[in-house]
Amino acid sequence: MKIDVFTLFPEWFEWFSSQRHVSNALAAGSRIDCLNFRDHTPLSGGQVDDTPFGGGAGMVLRVDVVDSALRARYGIDPVELRGRRRVIALAPGGRILDDGLVDELTAEPALTLLCGRYEGFDERIVEHFASDTLSVGRYVLSGGELAAMVVCDAVLRKLPGALGHEASAVEESFSAALGGDPEYPHYTRPAEYRGWRVPEVLLSGHHQRISDWRRERSRERGIRRDGPPSAA
Ligand SMILES: C[S@@+](CC[C@H](N)C(=O)[O-])C[C@H]1O[C@@H](n2cnc3c(N)ncnc32)[C@H](O)[C@@H]1O
């Protein structure tokens, strides 16, 4: 998986890329390349944004700046680019990231993530250069960098070699193995603490009963998450 992140703050990703599961994925052949919009701005003084037409607070990332940064990286008109790879504009109002979308992205050979800042993108960037808009939740972050890290983390940990235990990514919340439900509860030693006992079945050594118990707890959590019809 090759991920290009376009940002005004590439240094944010230095710490992220050095974390164990990310560095494992990078050692196994994945790449995260961070590119600074500012490095290719056609404007003087490193300008990348401007005031919004129609007035209002804040600054808007300019379409000519993003055009120039994408062109410098890929050598083609960015309008053509989105037909060749996923170019994802991170935006609070975009398609919500969930496990299904993560699977979809993990199947791609390459991704381009565009991080907005300030008031966000000139809408022509989204309309003409992006193949998708993606949101990590219905709240507003100060910039797209943390959202891009969420995407990179969720995608890279699904790739072989990223996690210490491959099984960890197979049977976990929202996976097909759990029918899309959240994961069941885990317990470890001590078996009793302040009178709180671990469920007996987990100490039984009976694999089928443990498996059935876990699946049932997982299902219950799925029902709680979706809520009973009367609570909707
Ligand atoms: C301060 S936000 C802009 C918010 C925008 N004015 C609005 O009200 O929707 C700046 C940038 O952060 C990123 N961002 C903020 N919240 C996000 C979220 N929940 N998911 C994905 N990206 C987000 C986007 O790239 C956005 O362009």
Side-chain angles (χ1 to χ4, degrees):
M1 168 66 70
K2 314 284 182 228
I3 306 178
D4 286 350
V5 182
F6 287 78
T7 168
L8 290 170
F9 300 97
E11 66 280 4
W12 280 45
F13 292 83
E14 288 166 17
W15 170 84
F16 176 71
S17 298
S18 70
Q19 300 312 298
R20 175 70 65 84
H21 64 294
V22 181
S23 63
N24 284 349
L26 302 185
S30 291
R31 285 184 65 104
I32 300 175
D33 288 318
C34 293
L35 303 118
N36 195 333
F37 289 120
R38 215 179 286 285
D39 289 345
H40 297 284
T41 176
L43 308 169
S44 59
Q47 186 186 349
V48 292
D49 51 13
D50 220 320
T51 53
F53 283 128
M59 300 293 274
V60 177
L61 196 58
R62 288 177 54 134
V63 63
D64 49 352
V65 169
V66 174
D67 190 341
S68 168
L70 290 171
R71 229 175 251 272
R73 175 67 171 172
Y74 303 109
I76 58 170
D77 184 339
V79 172
E80 312 292 329
L81 182 65
R82 63 180 178 180
R84 303 192 190 182
R85 62 192 279 152
R86 300 280 281 264
V87 179
I88 299 170
L90 296 156
R95 178 177 168 191
I96 292 279
L97 186 68
D98 62 11
D99 196 56
L101 179 52
V102 172
D103 281 340
E104 205 180 298
L105 299 180
T106 305
E108 298 283 338
L111 301 172
T112 296
L113 304 178
L114 306 179
C115 303
R117 272 270 151 185
Y118 318 120
E119 275 309 304
F121 301 106
D122 182 306
E123 191 59 22
R124 291 166 292 184
I125 296 166
V126 176
E127 277 177 21
H128 300 289
F129 301 156
S131 58
D132 309 68
T133 57
L134 185 155
S135 172
V136 294
R138 293 291 186 246
Y139 45 83
V140 179
L141 299 167
S142 304
E145 288 73 21
L146 288 174
M149 288 181 211
V150 168
V151 174
C152 290
D153 190 299
V155 165
L156 292 178
R157 73 188 297 285
K158 294 233 184 201
L159 298 176
L163 300 180
H165 301 282
E166 292 308 312
S168 310
V170 174
E171 195 172 284
E172 66 178 359
S173 291
F174 321 120
S175 61
L178 295 180
D181 289 323
E183 199 183 44
Y184 43 81
H186 293 287
Y187 299 87
T188 187
R189 291 181 188 83
E192 181 165 349
Y193 182 68
R194 296 178 55 188
W196 304 322
R197 271 199 67 71
V198 168
E200 282 307 324
V201 62
L202 297 178
L203 309 175
S204 69
H206 193 296
H207 296 304
Q208 189 56 53
R209 280 181 52 216
I210 292 171
S211 169
D212 291 347
W213 182 89
R214 286 178 164 167
R215 188 68 200 89
E216 199 42 45
R217 300 292 81 70
S218 187
R219 244 183 239 118
E220 280 172 6
R221 286 181 164 184
I223 292 165
R224 275 210 301 276
R225 183 194 52 177
D226 297 337
S230 59

PDB file of all heavy atoms in Angstrom, residues 174-195:
ATOM      1  N   PHE A 174     -16.419  -5.531  14.373  1.00  0.00           N
ATOM      2  CA  PHE A 174     -16.969  -5.243  13.047  1.00  0.00           C
ATOM      3  C   PHE A 174     -16.461  -6.173  11.951  1.00  0.00           C
ATOM      4  O   PHE A 174     -16.805  -6.003  10.788  1.00  0.00           O
ATOM      5  CB  PHE A 174     -16.738  -3.765  12.634  1.00  0.00           C
ATOM      6  CG  PHE A 174     -16.919  -2.800  13.762  1.00  0.00           C
ATOM      7  CD1 PHE A 174     -15.895  -1.966  14.184  1.00  0.00           C
ATOM      8  CD2 PHE A 174     -18.123  -2.756  14.448  1.00  0.00           C
ATOM      9  CE1 PHE A 174     -16.063  -1.103  15.251  1.00  0.00           C
ATOM     10  CE2 PHE A 174     -18.308  -1.888  15.514  1.00  0.00           C
ATOM     11  CZ  PHE A 174     -17.271  -1.066  15.918  1.00  0.00           C
ATOM     12  N   SER A 175     -15.617  -7.161  12.310  1.00  0.00           N
ATOM     13  CA  SER A 175     -15.078  -8.069  11.292  1.00  0.00           C
ATOM     14  C   SER A 175     -16.159  -9.044  10.835  1.00  0.00           C
ATOM     15  O   SER A 175     -17.152  -9.281  11.538  1.00  0.00           O
ATOM     16  CB  SER A 175     -13.889  -8.836  11.861  1.00  0.00           C
ATOM     17  OG  SER A 175     -14.322  -9.610  12.961  1.00  0.00           O
ATOM     18  N   ALA A 176     -15.929  -9.637   9.659  1.00  0.00           N
ATOM     19  CA  ALA A 176     -16.860 -10.638   9.137  1.00  0.00           C
ATOM     20  C   ALA A 176     -16.938 -11.815  10.104  1.00  0.00           C
ATOM     21  O   ALA A 176     -18.006 -12.419  10.292  1.00  0.00           O
ATOM     22  CB  ALA A 176     -16.398 -11.092   7.762  1.00  0.00           C
ATOM     23  N   ALA A 177     -15.808 -12.141  10.754  1.00  0.00           N
ATOM     24  CA  ALA A 177     -15.786 -13.272  11.689  1.00  0.00           C
ATOM     25  C   ALA A 177     -16.777 -13.082  12.833  1.00  0.00           C
ATOM     26  O   ALA A 177     -17.252 -14.058  13.420  1.00  0.00           O
ATOM     27  CB  ALA A 177     -14.373 -13.468  12.242  1.00  0.00           C
ATOM     28  N   LEU A 178     -17.076 -11.835  13.160  1.00  0.00           N
ATOM     29  CA  LEU A 178     -18.045 -11.553  14.234  1.00  0.00           C
ATOM     30  C   LEU A 178     -19.355 -11.017  13.658  1.00  0.00           C
ATOM     31  O   LEU A 178     -20.147 -10.388  14.379  1.00  0.00           O
ATOM     32  CB  LEU A 178     -17.455 -10.553  15.236  1.00  0.00           C
ATOM     33  CG  LEU A 178     -16.250 -11.039  16.030  1.00  0.00           C
ATOM     34  CD1 LEU A 178     -15.767  -9.955  16.989  1.00  0.00           C
ATOM     35  CD2 LEU A 178     -16.578 -12.307  16.806  1.00  0.00           C
ATOM     36  N   GLY A 179     -19.576 -11.270  12.393  1.00  0.00           N
ATOM     37  CA  GLY A 179     -20.834 -10.862  11.765  1.00  0.00           C
ATOM     38  C   GLY A 179     -21.058  -9.363  11.805  1.00  0.00           C
ATOM     39  O   GLY A 179     -22.197  -8.900  11.779  1.00  0.00           O
ATOM     40  N   GLY A 180     -19.956  -8.603  11.869  1.00  0.00           N
ATOM     41  CA  GLY A 180     -20.085  -7.139  11.882  1.00  0.00           C
ATOM     42  C   GLY A 180     -20.383  -6.552  13.250  1.00  0.00           C
ATOM     43  O   GLY A 180     -20.545  -5.340  13.398  1.00  0.00           O
ATOM     44  N   ASP A 181     -20.445  -7.406  14.283  1.00  0.00           N
ATOM     45  CA  ASP A 181     -20.739  -6.911  15.639  1.00  0.00           C
ATOM     46  C   ASP A 181     -19.454  -6.455  16.339  1.00  0.00           C
ATOM     47  O   ASP A 181     -18.351  -6.843  15.951  1.00  0.00           O
ATOM     48  CB  ASP A 181     -21.383  -8.032  16.469  1.00  0.00           C
ATOM     49  CG  ASP A 181     -22.800  -8.326  16.003  1.00  0.00           C
ATOM     50  OD1 ASP A 181     -23.505  -7.374  15.630  1.00  0.00           O
ATOM     51  OD2 ASP A 181     -23.185  -9.512  16.004  1.00  0.00           O
ATOM     52  N   PRO A 182     -19.587  -5.670  17.409  1.00  0.00           N
ATOM     53  CA  PRO A 182     -18.401  -5.313  18.204  1.00  0.00           C
ATOM     54  C   PRO A 182     -17.798  -6.565  18.854  1.00  0.00           C
ATOM     55  O   PRO A 182     -18.499  -7.566  19.038  1.00  0.00           O
ATOM     56  CB  PRO A 182     -18.954  -4.371  19.279  1.00  0.00           C
ATOM     57  CG  PRO A 182     -20.277  -3.924  18.785  1.00  0.00           C
ATOM     58  CD  PRO A 182     -20.809  -5.027  17.922  1.00  0.00           C
ATOM     59  N   GLU A 183     -16.546  -6.485  19.218  1.00  0.00           N
ATOM     60  CA  GLU A 183     -15.890  -7.643  19.822  1.00  0.00           C
ATOM     61  C   GLU A 183     -16.456  -7.937  21.217  1.00  0.00           C
ATOM     62  O   GLU A 183     -16.980  -7.046  21.886  1.00  0.00           O
ATOM     63  CB  GLU A 183     -14.385  -7.390  19.928  1.00  0.00           C
ATOM     64  CG  GLU A 183     -13.575  -8.656  20.110  1.00  0.00           C
ATOM     65  CD  GLU A 183     -12.093  -8.335  20.280  1.00  0.00           C
ATOM     66  OE1 GLU A 183     -11.781  -7.396  21.039  1.00  0.00           O
ATOM     67  OE2 GLU A 183     -11.254  -9.016  19.673  1.00  0.00           O
ATOM     68  N   TYR A 184     -16.312  -9.189  21.638  1.00  0.00           N
ATOM     69  CA  TYR A 184     -16.712  -9.655  22.967  1.00  0.00           C
ATOM     70  C   TYR A 184     -15.726  -9.122  24.021  1.00  0.00           C
ATOM     71  O   TYR A 184     -14.621  -8.696  23.683  1.00  0.00           O
ATOM     72  CB  TYR A 184     -16.698 -11.197  22.985  1.00  0.00           C
ATOM     73  CG  TYR A 184     -15.492 -11.764  22.290  1.00  0.00           C
ATOM     74  CD1 TYR A 184     -14.252 -11.838  22.934  1.00  0.00           C
ATOM     75  CD2 TYR A 184     -15.579 -12.167  20.954  1.00  0.00           C
ATOM     76  CE1 TYR A 184     -13.133 -12.311  22.276  1.00  0.00           C
ATOM     77  CE2 TYR A 184     -14.456 -12.654  20.297  1.00  0.00           C
ATOM     78  CZ  TYR A 184     -13.237 -12.719  20.957  1.00  0.00           C
ATOM     79  OH  TYR A 184     -12.122 -13.166  20.306  1.00  0.00           O
ATOM     80  N   PRO A 185     -16.101  -9.182  25.309  1.00  0.00           N
ATOM     81  CA  PRO A 185     -15.185  -8.692  26.350  1.00  0.00           C
ATOM     82  C   PRO A 185     -14.002  -9.631  26.580  1.00  0.00           C
ATOM     83  O   PRO A 185     -14.130 -10.844  26.380  1.00  0.00           O
ATOM     84  CB  PRO A 185     -16.066  -8.632  27.601  1.00  0.00           C
ATOM     85  CG  PRO A 185     -17.238  -9.494  27.329  1.00  0.00           C
ATOM     86  CD  PRO A 185     -17.403  -9.597  25.846  1.00  0.00           C
ATOM     87  N   HIS A 186     -12.883  -9.041  26.967  1.00  0.00           N
ATOM     88  CA  HIS A 186     -11.684  -9.812  27.315  1.00  0.00           C
ATOM     89  C   HIS A 186     -11.417  -9.677  28.809  1.00  0.00           C
ATOM     90  O   HIS A 186     -11.742  -8.652  29.421  1.00  0.00           O
ATOM     91  CB  HIS A 186     -10.460  -9.270  26.572  1.00  0.00           C
ATOM     92  CG  HIS A 186     -10.517  -9.471  25.097  1.00  0.00           C
ATOM     93  ND1 HIS A 186     -10.350 -10.684  24.517  1.00  0.00           N
ATOM     94  CD2 HIS A 186     -10.718  -8.595  24.084  1.00  0.00           C
ATOM     95  CE1 HIS A 186     -10.449 -10.562  23.203  1.00  0.00           C
ATOM     96  NE2 HIS A 186     -10.680  -9.300  22.915  1.00  0.00           N
ATOM     97  N   TYR A 187     -10.758 -10.681  29.381  1.00  0.00           N
ATOM     98  CA  TYR A 187     -10.317 -10.644  30.782  1.00  0.00           C
ATOM     99  C   TYR A 187      -8.930 -11.252  30.863  1.00  0.00           C
ATOM    100  O   TYR A 187      -8.569 -12.087  30.042  1.00  0.00           O
ATOM    101  CB  TYR A 187     -11.262 -11.473  31.677  1.00  0.00           C
ATOM    102  CG  TYR A 187     -12.691 -10.986  31.688  1.00  0.00           C
ATOM    103  CD1 TYR A 187     -13.598 -11.432  30.728  1.00  0.00           C
ATOM    104  CD2 TYR A 187     -13.134 -10.097  32.665  1.00  0.00           C
ATOM    105  CE1 TYR A 187     -14.917 -10.988  30.735  1.00  0.00           C
ATOM    106  CE2 TYR A 187     -14.458  -9.662  32.681  1.00  0.00           C
ATOM    107  CZ  TYR A 187     -15.342 -10.110  31.714  1.00  0.00           C
ATOM    108  OH  TYR A 187     -16.640  -9.674  31.725  1.00  0.00           O
ATOM    109  N   THR A 188      -8.171 -10.818  31.882  1.00  0.00           N
ATOM    110  CA  THR A 188      -6.881 -11.471  32.135  1.00  0.00           C
ATOM    111  C   THR A 188      -6.702 -11.607  33.655  1.00  0.00           C
ATOM    112  O   THR A 188      -7.609 -11.283  34.424  1.00  0.00           O
ATOM    113  CB  THR A 188      -5.732 -10.683  31.482  1.00  0.00           C
ATOM    114  OG1 THR A 188      -4.522 -11.450  31.628  1.00  0.00           O
ATOM    115  CG2 THR A 188      -5.541  -9.301  32.115  1.00  0.00           C
ATOM    116  N   ARG A 189      -5.544 -12.097  34.090  1.00  0.00           N
ATOM    117  CA  ARG A 189      -5.297 -12.318  35.516  1.00  0.00           C
ATOM    118  C   ARG A 189      -5.347 -10.982  36.290  1.00  0.00           C
ATOM    119  O   ARG A 189      -4.951  -9.969  35.707  1.00  0.00           O
ATOM    120  CB  ARG A 189      -3.922 -12.963  35.712  1.00  0.00           C
ATOM    121  CG  ARG A 189      -3.906 -14.374  35.194  1.00  0.00           C
ATOM    122  CD  ARG A 189      -2.562 -15.027  35.405  1.00  0.00           C
ATOM    123  NE  ARG A 189      -2.554 -16.312  34.724  1.00  0.00           N
ATOM    124  CZ  ARG A 189      -2.301 -16.482  33.425  1.00  0.00           C
ATOM    125  NH1 ARG A 189      -1.983 -15.443  32.661  1.00  0.00           N
ATOM    126  NH2 ARG A 189      -2.340 -17.678  32.871  1.00  0.00           N
ATOM    127  N   PRO A 190      -5.753 -10.947  37.506  1.00  0.00           N
ATOM    128  CA  PRO A 190      -6.206 -12.075  38.316  1.00  0.00           C
ATOM    129  C   PRO A 190      -7.650 -12.483  37.963  1.00  0.00           C
ATOM    130  O   PRO A 190      -8.440 -11.651  37.513  1.00  0.00           O
ATOM    131  CB  PRO A 190      -6.157 -11.528  39.746  1.00  0.00           C
ATOM    132  CG  PRO A 190      -6.363 -10.061  39.578  1.00  0.00           C
ATOM    133  CD  PRO A 190      -5.766  -9.687  38.263  1.00  0.00           C
ATOM    134  N   ALA A 191      -7.950 -13.762  38.207  1.00  0.00           N
ATOM    135  CA  ALA A 191      -9.275 -14.278  37.884  1.00  0.00           C
ATOM    136  C   ALA A 191     -10.345 -13.670  38.796  1.00  0.00           C
ATOM    137  O   ALA A 191     -11.515 -13.649  38.445  1.00  0.00           O
ATOM    138  CB  ALA A 191      -9.287 -15.804  38.000  1.00  0.00           C
ATOM    139  N   GLU A 192      -9.911 -13.205  39.965  1.00  0.00           N
ATOM    140  CA  GLU A 192     -10.847 -12.497  40.841  1.00  0.00           C
ATOM    141  C   GLU A 192     -10.142 -11.268  41.388  1.00  0.00           C
ATOM    142  O   GLU A 192      -8.992 -11.339  41.833  1.00  0.00           O
ATOM    143  CB  GLU A 192     -11.307 -13.396  41.996  1.00  0.00           C
ATOM    144  CG  GLU A 192     -12.292 -12.655  42.883  1.00  0.00           C
ATOM    145  CD  GLU A 192     -13.062 -13.569  43.833  1.00  0.00           C
ATOM    146  OE1 GLU A 192     -12.974 -14.799  43.653  1.00  0.00           O
ATOM    147  OE2 GLU A 192     -13.725 -13.035  44.729  1.00  0.00           O
ATOM    148  N   TYR A 193     -10.808 -10.131  41.371  1.00  0.00           N
ATOM    149  CA  TYR A 193     -10.240  -8.883  41.862  1.00  0.00           C
ATOM    150  C   TYR A 193     -11.337  -8.077  42.531  1.00  0.00           C
ATOM    151  O   TYR A 193     -12.381  -7.812  41.912  1.00  0.00           O
ATOM    152  CB  TYR A 193      -9.624  -8.091  40.701  1.00  0.00           C
ATOM    153  CG  TYR A 193      -8.967  -6.807  41.121  1.00  0.00           C
ATOM    154  CD1 TYR A 193      -7.794  -6.830  41.887  1.00  0.00           C
ATOM    155  CD2 TYR A 193      -9.514  -5.576  40.793  1.00  0.00           C
ATOM    156  CE1 TYR A 193      -7.189  -5.660  42.293  1.00  0.00           C
ATOM    157  CE2 TYR A 193      -8.916  -4.393  41.197  1.00  0.00           C
ATOM    158  CZ  TYR A 193      -7.748  -4.444  41.945  1.00  0.00           C
ATOM    159  OH  TYR A 193      -7.141  -3.282  42.368  1.00  0.00           O
ATOM    160  N   ARG A 194     -11.167  -7.793  43.790  1.00  0.00           N
ATOM    161  CA  ARG A 194     -12.165  -7.062  44.592  1.00  0.00           C
ATOM    162  C   ARG A 194     -13.542  -7.709  44.503  1.00  0.00           C
ATOM    163  O   ARG A 194     -14.552  -7.029  44.459  1.00  0.00           O
ATOM    164  CB  ARG A 194     -12.218  -5.588  44.168  1.00  0.00           C
ATOM    165  CG  ARG A 194     -10.922  -4.846  44.447  1.00  0.00           C
ATOM    166  CD  ARG A 194     -10.972  -3.415  43.979  1.00  0.00           C
ATOM    167  NE  ARG A 194     -12.086  -2.668  44.537  1.00  0.00           N
ATOM    168  CZ  ARG A 194     -12.439  -1.424  44.169  1.00  0.00           C
ATOM    169  NH1 ARG A 194     -11.720  -0.810  43.244  1.00  0.00           N
ATOM    170  NH2 ARG A 194     -13.451  -0.831  44.731  1.00  0.00           N
ATOM    171  N   GLY A 195     -13.545  -9.023  44.381  1.00  0.00           N
ATOM    172  CA  GLY A 195     -14.808  -9.749  44.313  1.00  0.00           C
ATOM    173  C   GLY A 195     -15.391  -9.841  42.909  1.00  0.00           C
ATOM    174  O   GLY A 195     -16.447 -10.431  42.714  1.00  0.00           O
TER     175      GLY A 195
END
